[in-house]
Amino acid sequence: MPERMSIGQARRAEALGRQVLLQGWVRTRRDSKAGFSFLELNDGSCLGNIQVIAPAELDNYESEIKHLTAGASVSIEGVVKESPGKGQATEVEAARVVVHGTADPENYPLQKKRHSFEFLRTIAHLRPRTNTFGAIARVRNCVCNSIHQFFQEEGFLYIHTPVITASDCEGAGEMFQVTTLDLADPPKDGPRVDFSQDFFDRPAYLTVSGQLEAEIFACGLSKAYTFGPTFRAENSNTARHLAEFWMVEPEMAFCNLEDDMALAERLLKRIFADVLEKCPEDMDFFNQRIDKTTIETLRHIVDSQFVRLPYTEAVEILSASGESFEFPVAWGNDLQSEHERFLTEKHFRCPVIVHDYPRTIKPFYMRVNDDGRTVRAMDVLVPKVGEIIGGSQREERLDVLRERMLEQELNPDDYWWYLELRKYGTVPHAGFGLGLERVVQFITGMANIRDVIPFPRTPGSAEF
Ligand code: ATP
Ligand code: MN
């Protein structure tokens, strides 16, 4: 019986001499005049293909093998041999080739030429079979694994926060509503829709963040993190925004903003180091084909210290920069993407953590500083992508928190449970949100965030 193995395993020298069963999809077929065919086979276990030699003596050689084209699926039994070819240690001499499915070359959309990423988005059901999307899937998987390992080693509990929520975490988030009401004929209470007759007896939404619920667990179990899908109905058609994305949100009790920034820096460095170590072949591919600086940038970041920069100083640097920005720089304005990129790409040339932002531009739950004008917020900015993490120390003082809610026109009664965390055994605590796709975008150098999530959801687009 041949040993079933992945192409990644069969490509290694340790596989030499073994009788194997390999299964995958044909990338190319070439026929030699010497009476055999070469098949390049890929199964997604690694970037590289394995070369299969199919001799003319195989009984389905003329009937099937000589008709194989890109996209066909096959099982191969044979022996792993040393390859005389360059760039590969091994190849497989086939004793049996079973064809599972053909792929008509007249119609199969993935031909050997390079396809644009825009085109590949229209065939998201086939793009995992390309080199680029295979590599993205493996890197994304590595990043997720690294995130879980990091938090487990640091003693955090992985908790699951709800996807459906009745509270609007940011106070200003644009949310997708969840309803079972008949939209053509909703029940009315006067001129307004009567949501007391809706499924949850009130309006409900898809969550924009699991933070408030993560705080509940941190304020009792000390360290917790969530890692799940997050939804924003913002109609921003940018290369950095999705309507559905994955967010990692750690929350720590008895911690302040300095601890929070240190955690963010450790986490990012760990992710980058793991990807460099565990996905070298995929990273070489991105470095050659997508962004020639990515490996060097990641290596540099792993060894460097992130800059910590108070917002007020950031405004001074931007004002004195002599750059002509589209959006005005002034104390009290939020930093725009162009400002963030100037700081991290041009001024410091490394990740920058901007902290202590004006209270007026940040949500109610961030801790107010003694100056009364700023809050303990921080954003981690990286080149190309801009903001990759947003976090803060949370307001743990009941009276200040209630005042901040009123200031932002939120009804404290809607957040009674959140306020009780401050009423009973309140503690200083802090946390942040890391956008998974922004991380994968940064690592791979992919220009558009729609290409680093398997099935992107954006305004006007929810195919697949
Ligand atoms: P931005 O200013 O870039 O729109 P934000 O300040 O609204 O982001 P936060 O609410 O701070 O974002 O969310 C935490 C993290 O989640 C961000 O730092 C980013 O990495 C990620 N993120 C936020 N919105 C999106 C989105 N629409 N698509 C993908 N990732 C996002
Ligand atoms: Mn933010």
Side-chain angles (χ1 to χ4, degrees), residues 170 208-209 230-232 234 236 238 240-249 334-335 340 362 365-366 378-380 385-391 432-439 441 449:
E170 305 281 319
V208 295
S209 161
T230 310
F231 306 87
R232 305 229 172 142
E234 52 199 0
S236 45
T238 76
R240 308 179 310 126
H241 289 90
L242 291 161
E244 176 179 306
F245 63 100
W246 285 67
M247 187 144 69
V248 183
E249 295 177 276
D334 209 353
L335 298 184
E340 298 176 345
K362 290 291 181 187
Y365 51 73
M366 297 187 175
M378 64 108 173
D379 279 358
V380 182
V385 171
E387 179 185 332
I388 201 166
I389 286 179
F432 60 76
L434 164 74
L436 175 66
E437 287 74 20
R438 298 252 175 109
V439 175
Q441 218 187 336
I449 197 165

Side-chain angles (χ1 to χ4, degrees), residues 307-320:
V307 169
R308 281 154 177 71
L309 179 72
Y311 166 89
T312 302
E313 282 175 35
V315 169
E316 284 162 14
I317 290 171
L318 291 165
S319 305

